[in-house]
Amino acid sequence: MVKNFILWFILIMITMSIFQNFNFTHSHNYQVNYSTFLSEVNQNKIREVILDGHNIRVTKKNNSKYVTFLPINDPNLLKTLLKKNIEIIGIKPYQMNFFLSTIISWFPMILLFLMWIFFIKQIQMGGKGAFSFGKSKAKFLKENEIKINFSDVAGCNEAKEEVKELVDYLISPKKFQKIGGKIPKGILMIGPPGTGKTLLAKAIAGEAKVPYFTISGSDFVEMFVGVGASRVRDMFSNSRKLAPCIIFIDEIDAVGRKRGTGLGGGNDEREQTLNQILVEMDGFDRNQGVIVIAATNRPDVLDPALLRPGRFDRQVFVPLPDIKGREEILKVHSKKVLLEKDFNPLIIARGTPGFSGADLSNLVNEAALFAVRHNRSLVTMEDFEQAKDKIMMGSERKSMIMTEIQKEATAYHEAGHAIVGRLVPEHDPIHKVTIIPRGRALGVTFFFPTEDYLSINKQKLESQISTLYGGRLAEEIIYGKEYVSTGASNDIKVATNLARNMVTQWGFSKKLGPLLYLKEEEEMFLGKSFQKNLNCSNSTAKIIDQEIKFFIDNNYNRAKKILKSNIDILHSMKNALIKYETINSDQIDALMKRKKI
Ligand code: ADP
Ligand code: MG
Ligand code: ZN
């Protein structure tokens, strides 16, 4: 502020003094030819001239004024003027005072110099306001500002166990130092997005009651080269003053990608930042009490140098939660809302395979919103059910108008999925079937896995393929091949991918055997990975295609057989769907037993 004021003040002073020194005479602004002037001299019309170099300011006897300019040095002019008795006035040559003229001639240089100093200072020491490039963007939380502890992180007990040791160390580093124990300098948390890595890092600080610096990898990367590195330096030097403490670098893959795999300047900046992180981590002593935690969901792209001993040598895996984990996370988050008595987190957990902690937190929130929308004061299981469907499938599009024909076709289609799904071996139970359009789908059949699968066997995969074709087949059987809608395009895509993976990756083909027919995904420049290529000869590629077709044909025909021999159930389920729009597993059970509902 003060700096700015002084700058403006100086600028104004300089301009004012310049204008004062050039004492312009505005009255002589009317311009006349030199020859006209001479003829007027001869006609005795002129009273006075002011000679100012080549400028001649003329005052006529009638007091009008003008200027004229000498075209060449006219040696006779003075004589003529004297002869005509015209008053001749000279002008004192203009001389700026020395100080001012120096400032003016050096002004641009000085300005540049000042700006240069200013920027250098900003970059080196950081500052406030818009120009704080070099300053660490790290957010800083004092030990008593962290309200999160281990009880807020649920469903990743192994990860929690692993980091407990750090908490003990941060609480009493002396004890560890005495024994000579080595505490890792850097911990890398690896896990899919939303599994609670950021949360866990904060909880460590909260448990140990130590200061917590946090910065995201992308904060390092800025337009100006060198800024990232200076931010790293800044953050580490700040943290050392407050040890024991935690530095948390979120999304480290933004700066920590393998070096030398990019084009252009932005990459240089990243490399410099990464180098600086490595230098800082090597530079501090294990027992200084600074623990660096980094998080990423792309460990595969990280520079190997980061993972060397003495850097991020300890890795903690934070996986997607399993059923038990999801139940626990739901318990943590549902504490924040008012619940109906029948709340059962296990049921919700069972229906949300693949949900991350962040998804579950969102689910609780959506459920609360549904409760509000229905004017309820407590959140019910029904709200959770709706929230779950919304998150998984997009919102219901009740307003979308389906013609009666479309509705019937959709009902047959979904019923086809459901019936085949019920009758093939090892298939997940069917949870409900609906013909209310959702997102881009016209209808949905929900399956309900009883457990989380780490691996799936061949029989189950084949059953899935059959079920996927159930929808299209039902339409085909009822309306004939020519009238099948395009609604099955996604089913076909999923089924084909399953069959392809069975053949090329999972080794389920008898002819091809358990070989991998895929090239590993390669990290190419610009961080873009190119499509996987088949890693085989042409003749093998042909066999692969045949085998995929074989799996698909088999299961397609099986589904067809199932539907044809249960066509009465297909009709009754279609009727039920048109009547109720959504039917649940009990209703499906009844229909499968050929009971009326
Ligand atoms: P990540 O850093 O792994 O992408 P976050 O830690 O940012 O995920 O998680 C986002 C939010 O999701 C958290 O603030 C929390 O509300 C919720 N969450 C995620 N994982 C968990 C968990 N294991 N326990 C409780 N809440 C979780
Ligand atoms: Mg995160
Ligand atoms: Zn379908």
Side-chain angles (χ1 to χ4, degrees):
M1 227 23 238
V2 177
K3 241 189 218 166
N4 265 344
F5 180 73
I6 293 175
L7 207 74
W8 279 112
F9 185 73
I10 293 175
L11 268 176
I12 290 170
M13 289 306 285
I14 290 173
T15 20
M16 269 169 58
S17 56
I18 289 171
F19 276 92
Q20 255 170 13
N21 272 281
F22 292 112
N23 195 356
F24 294 115
T25 321
H26 292 287
S27 46
H28 294 88
N29 50 8
Y30 176 58
Q31 204 174 314
V32 159
N33 283 340
Y34 188 61
S35 47
T36 320
F37 164 64
L38 279 186
S39 73
E40 286 194 344
V41 169
N42 285 328
Q43 291 163 21
N44 284 324
K45 284 188 178 163
I46 309 296
R47 186 171 69 218
E48 175 192 299
V49 292
I50 303 171
L51 296 177
D52 181 3
H54 277 237
N55 292 349
I56 302 172
R57 286 181 244 159
V58 182
T59 309
K60 283 167 66 169
K61 283 190 176 144
N62 63 5
N63 272 339
S64 65
K65 296 175 179 191
Y66 60 82
V67 278
T68 184
F69 302 100
L70 262 182
I72 48 159
N73 253 340
D74 183 352
N76 295 325
L77 177 65
L78 269 181
K79 251 187 241 164
T80 323
L81 292 175
L82 281 174
K83 222 196 283 168
K84 294 286 174 190
N85 263 339
I86 294 168
E87 200 166 332
I88 304 170
I89 300 168
I91 280 259
K92 181 179 156 212
Y94 172 70
Q95 202 158 32
M96 227 186 275
N97 81 43
F98 174 74
F99 172 72
L100 201 65
S101 61
T102 331
I103 285 198
I104 288 177
S105 55
W106 283 90
F107 184 67
M109 290 296 287
I110 292 172
L111 201 68
L112 276 179
F113 182 71
L114 284 177
M115 274 172 71
W116 183 63
I117 299 249
F118 183 67
F119 272 79
I120 292 279
K121 270 215 162 132
Q122 289 291 347
I123 285 170
Q124 276 177 348
M125 294 160 48
K128 288 178 185 68
F131 289 117
S132 54
F133 309 118
K135 183 125 180 118
S136 143
K137 259 199 187 168
K139 277 184 225 91
F140 170 65
L141 287 177
K142 281 197 213 113
E143 49 270 39
N144 47 16
E145 283 171 345
I146 305 167
K147 300 273 179 281
I148 286 173
N149 55 34
F150 278 161
S151 66
D152 295 306
V153 189
C156 46
N157 291 330
E158 285 93 351
K160 256 169 29 183
E161 275 310 312
E162 283 197 59
V163 296
K164 271 206 178 113
E165 182 195 27
L166 301 178
V167 175
D168 296 339
Y169 169 76
L170 287 166
I171 289 174
S172 49
K174 292 260 159 51
K175 214 167 74 189
F176 277 76
Q177 286 157 18
K178 246 185 225 154
I179 301 174
K182 273 194 177 169
I183 275 294
K185 275 186 199 174
I187 286 123
L188 185 62
M189 290 198 195
I190 301 170
T195 46
K197 300 179 291 295
T198 311
L199 194 69
L200 187 58
K202 213 171 184 180
I204 296 172
E207 285 283 326
K209 301 204 168 46
V210 294
Y212 176 75
F213 291 85
T214 171
I215 192 161
S216 168
S218 53
D219 290 340
F220 289 127
V221 187
E222 198 108 355
M223 305 195 280
F224 299 97
V225 173
V227 170
S230 98
R231 279 193 180 148
V232 173
R233 220 176 300 130
D234 188 57
M235 185 174 66
F236 274 85
S237 78
N238 285 345
S239 68
R240 242 163 286 187
K241 289 174 214 149
L242 291 170
C245 69
I246 286 178
I247 293 180
F248 179 58
I249 306 177
D250 211 351
E251 323 278 343
I252 195 172
D253 40 293
V255 285
R257 274 171 188 262
K258 289 190 189 88
R259 286 169 289 184
T261 53
L263 300 171
N267 197 54
D268 291 344
E269 165 68 353
R270 245 179 34 204
E271 288 189 7
Q272 282 188 23
T273 309
L274 178 57
N275 285 338
Q276 192 64 39
I277 292 177
L278 298 179
V279 166
E280 294 285 345
M281 287 195 75
D282 291 344
F284 70 74
D285 188 9
R286 236 171 235 283
N287 288 327
Q288 242 168 7
V290 180
I291 292 184
V292 186
I293 302 177
T296 181
N297 46 29
R298 297 291 313 271
D300 50 319
V301 301
L302 288 185
D303 195 290
L306 273 173
L307 307 178
R308 240 185 44 192
R311 291 167 181 168
F312 292 100
D313 48 357
R314 174 87 61 98
Q315 289 163 25
V316 175
F317 193 63
V318 188
L320 282 174
D322 55 7
I323 285 198
K324 193 92 194 67
R326 289 198 295 274
E327 185 186 355
E328 244 126 61
I329 294 172
L330 281 166
K331 276 184 195 156
V332 168
H333 285 282
S334 58
K335 274 189 203 130
K336 296 166 202 161
V337 297
L338 298 172
L339 296 165
E340 189 75 71
K341 269 199 252 21
D342 67 347
F343 173 69
N344 185 343
L346 182 60
I347 292 181
I348 305 168
R350 198 177 292 148
T352 48
F355 270 44
S356 68
D359 293 331
L360 291 168
S361 145
N362 183 28
L363 174 75
V364 174
N365 189 45
E366 287 286 345
L369 292 182
F370 272 115
V372 172
R373 215 176 293 168
H374 294 142
N375 278 328
R376 286 198 267 264
S377 53
L378 301 172
V379 185
T380 63
M381 285 301 274
E382 178 55 31
D383 296 323
F384 277 101
E385 186 68 26
Q386 283 195 6
K388 192 185 79 190
D389 292 352
K390 180 179 172 193
I391 290 172
M392 293 210 287
M393 308 298 307
S395 330
E396 288 183 354
R397 286 162 56 197
K398 285 208 168 121
S399 60
M400 191 176 125
I401 299 161
M402 278 209 277
T403 61
E404 285 305 308
I405 297 166
Q406 261 178 332
K407 211 167 164 180
E408 192 191 69
T410 309
Y412 274 124
H413 180 105
E414 297 307 328
H417 282 308
I419 293 166
V420 176
R422 270 290 163 108
L423 296 175
V424 285
E426 280 203 45
H427 202 282
D428 292 331
I430 287 151
H431 174 50
K432 69 178 179 191
V433 182
T434 173
I435 54 166
I436 298 174
R438 251 173 209 291
R440 285 173 51 221
L442 291 179
V444 190
T445 303
F446 292 88
F447 297 98
F448 217 29
T450 39
E451 56 196 292
D452 293 323
Y453 302 111
L454 297 175
S455 70
I456 305 180
N457 63 32
K458 179 170 171 238
Q459 195 174 38
K460 200 172 173 94
L461 285 166
E462 293 204 63
S463 290
Q464 281 182 7
I465 296 177
S466 287
T467 308
L468 281 162
Y469 282 113
R472 181 193 160 88
L473 273 164
E475 289 183 62
E476 195 180 304
I477 291 168
I478 302 293
Y479 301 111
K481 264 204 166 90
E482 294 84 62
Y483 297 99
V484 171
S485 71
T486 54
S489 64
N490 193 52
D491 296 339
I492 293 175
K493 186 170 136 196
V494 176
T496 313
N497 279 341
L498 272 178
R500 181 175 296 278
N501 286 342
M502 285 175 74
V503 173
T504 59
Q505 280 189 57
W506 300 329
F508 285 143
S509 152
K510 277 203 194 86
K511 267 193 206 154
L512 291 162
L515 289 178
L516 179 69
Y517 290 97
L518 281 175
K519 238 183 209 163
E520 283 301 306
E521 211 174 325
E522 275 172 49
E523 183 74 22
M524 302 294 277
F525 56 85
L526 294 175
K528 199 175 171 174
S529 57
F530 278 55
Q531 230 183 348
K532 291 181 179 181
N533 291 317
L534 279 181
N535 184 17
C536 59
S537 67
N538 270 347
S539 58
T540 316
K542 216 177 255 169
I543 302 178
I544 289 176
D545 288 341
Q546 283 167 6
E547 287 293 281
I548 294 173
K549 183 108 182 19
F550 171 77
F551 275 121
I552 288 186
D553 282 350
N554 270 355
N555 288 297
Y556 183 87
N557 291 331
R558 174 168 63 162
K560 198 174 199 168
K561 226 179 267 164
I562 290 175
L563 284 177
K564 283 208 162 145
S565 52
N566 290 288
I567 195 125
D568 54 324
I569 304 183
L570 185 62
H571 287 301
S572 62
M573 197 178 285
K574 174 219 82 174
N575 290 335
L577 277 170
I578 295 207
K579 187 167 164 198
Y580 300 107
E581 296 203 327
T582 302
I583 53 176
N584 61 26
S585 58
D586 293 337
Q587 287 169 306
I588 298 169
D589 277 340
L591 286 167
M592 294 305 288
K593 286 181 194 138
R594 298 188 162 78
K595 282 187 202 149
K596 271 221 147 59
I597 59 164

